[in-house]
Every structure is written in C-alpha cells, then in structure tokens.
Amino acid sequence: MMLLTNPREKFEEIYRIYEMSFPEVERRTKEGQRAIFENPLLRVWTAEREGRTAAFLTGWNLESCLYLEHLATDPACRGGGMGKELMHEAIQAALDRQVPLILEIEPVTEEDPYTARRAAFYEHMGFVVNRFPYSQPPLRRGAPGCPLWIVTYGRAMGEEEFLPHKEQIYRHVYSCGVE
C-alpha cells in the first residue's frame, strides 16, 4: 500500500478500475477525473498486485477534514483485504492530522443488498453511519444529484456539526456552493 506522490502516472490503471466499479451517475467523465488528479488537495493510495494497480482510494486533504471519495478494487482482486488495508492508511493519515475522516455511502435499501454490505464494512472498521439528509452534487453535466449518507470515523456527527465540512467538500471536491 502506498500514497502516490504523482497519481497522474497511474491514472489509466486507476481509471479502468473506477469505471468498472461505479455507476455512471457516481463518476466523473474521464476528462473530469483526469483534471482532479492535478489538484494538490487530492490524495491517492494504491495497492498493487503483480506490478499493476489492483485497488485505489482517493481522498481530499481539506482544511477541516480528510474526505474520502472513492474506494475500489479490480473485480479480479476483490476479497483479498486490499480495500481494508487502504482504509487503514487513510485512518492513520486522519489521526496523524487530528482531523475528522468523512466519506459518503449509498443509503441502505432492501432492493440492493450491496448497500448493507458496504455500510457493514465501514462500521466494522470503526466508522459511524449518520443518517441525516445529504445529497452529493452531480459529478457530470446534466446528471442528477445523488442522495447519500455521511459516514464518519470514530464517532457520530450531526448535520449541524457536518456543515463546515460540507462547505469545504462542496467547494473543493464538487466545485459548487452549498444550497
């Protein structure tokens, strides 16, 4: 596991996994994703298998928090613990900075059993699912926003306490203001 100092070098490998792992509404265009790889606030951790990127985690080193945006593993490599190891790296980075660690997940639904598995994965690692209303702004032109839940490491966070973090996330990650 490593934090990349120049994530652009691994962009194509990471984007391939990103495209396979997230539905279109939850990902940027290739050009949009390439552009954020130029942002100095972006952090990218990777896990390799046989000299190739097998899993990645992207996060944003914001002033008030470490915000994790995407965690994905190549489908051929899933179940090997790489996602968990990458999350441990991010947890340690947030603890070192002494800032909250925040991410978003899809609300748990009976229609999609993977939503419950994702929530359980994070809860098992010490995260708390906060169920106040939240919407991720669109990641591509013309796409709708996406209702999600905010997940925080170590303790619950209320909607009011989350607001300053939300303002930074919206400004730096999504390039928009809070409604």
Side-chain angles (χ1 to χ4, degrees):
M1 307 299 130
M2 70 171 118
L3 176 63
L4 298 178
T5 55
N6 184 2
R8 293 175 303 279
E9 292 176 352
K10 295 283 190 172
F11 177 79
E12 291 297 332
E13 290 178 25
I14 292 168
Y15 192 81
R16 181 184 61 79
I17 298 167
Y18 175 72
E19 199 169 32
M20 289 187 296
S21 302
F22 295 95
E24 187 175 47
V25 70
E26 292 181 31
R27 54 176 212 265
R28 292 176 184 86
T29 63
K30 190 170 189 177
E31 299 76 29
Q33 191 71 2
R34 189 183 308 278
I36 70 156
F37 269 53
E38 301 295 328
N39 191 311
L41 297 176
L42 184 73
R43 299 295 178 264
V44 180
W45 291 268
T46 61
E48 293 194 357
R49 181 173 284 168
E50 298 174 7
R52 290 185 51 92
T53 302
F56 74 91
L57 172 63
T58 57
W60 294 80
N61 207 19
L62 304 176
E63 185 178 324
S64 71
C65 67
L66 177 56
Y67 165 73
L68 301 180
E69 188 174 18
H70 291 107
L71 170 64
T73 301
D74 184 313
C77 302
R78 289 185 182 151
M82 286 184 273
K84 186 176 180 180
E85 289 181 39
L86 290 168
M87 288 303 299
H88 282 300
E89 295 281 331
I91 290 167
Q92 189 59 54
L95 292 173
D96 289 348
R97 282 191 55 213
Q98 299 181 1
V99 294
L101 182 57
I102 299 171
L103 57 95
E104 305 160 341
I105 62 169
E106 295 168 291
V108 173
T109 65
E110 289 182 19
E111 298 81 43
D112 183 352
Y114 290 108
T115 58
R117 285 183 58 193
R118 279 186 213 105
F121 169 80
Y122 291 113
E123 288 173 327
H124 180 72
M125 295 195 69
F127 286 85
V128 177
V129 177
N130 304 282
R131 290 174 170 85
F132 52 79
Y134 173 80
S135 183
Q136 177 192 64
L139 289 177
R140 47 179 67 223
R141 190 165 283 148
C146 189
L148 297 172
W149 285 343
I150 293 299
V151 179
T152 48
Y153 181 73
R155 65 178 187 82
M157 184 179 287
E159 188 172 8
E160 181 116 349
E161 183 183 359
F162 174 66
L163 187 57
H165 306 297
K166 179 180 179 178
E167 290 171 349
Q168 286 192 15
I169 292 166
Y170 270 40
R171 181 174 58 244
H172 295 291
V173 178
Y174 302 119
S175 300
C176 68
V178 174
E179 304 92 37

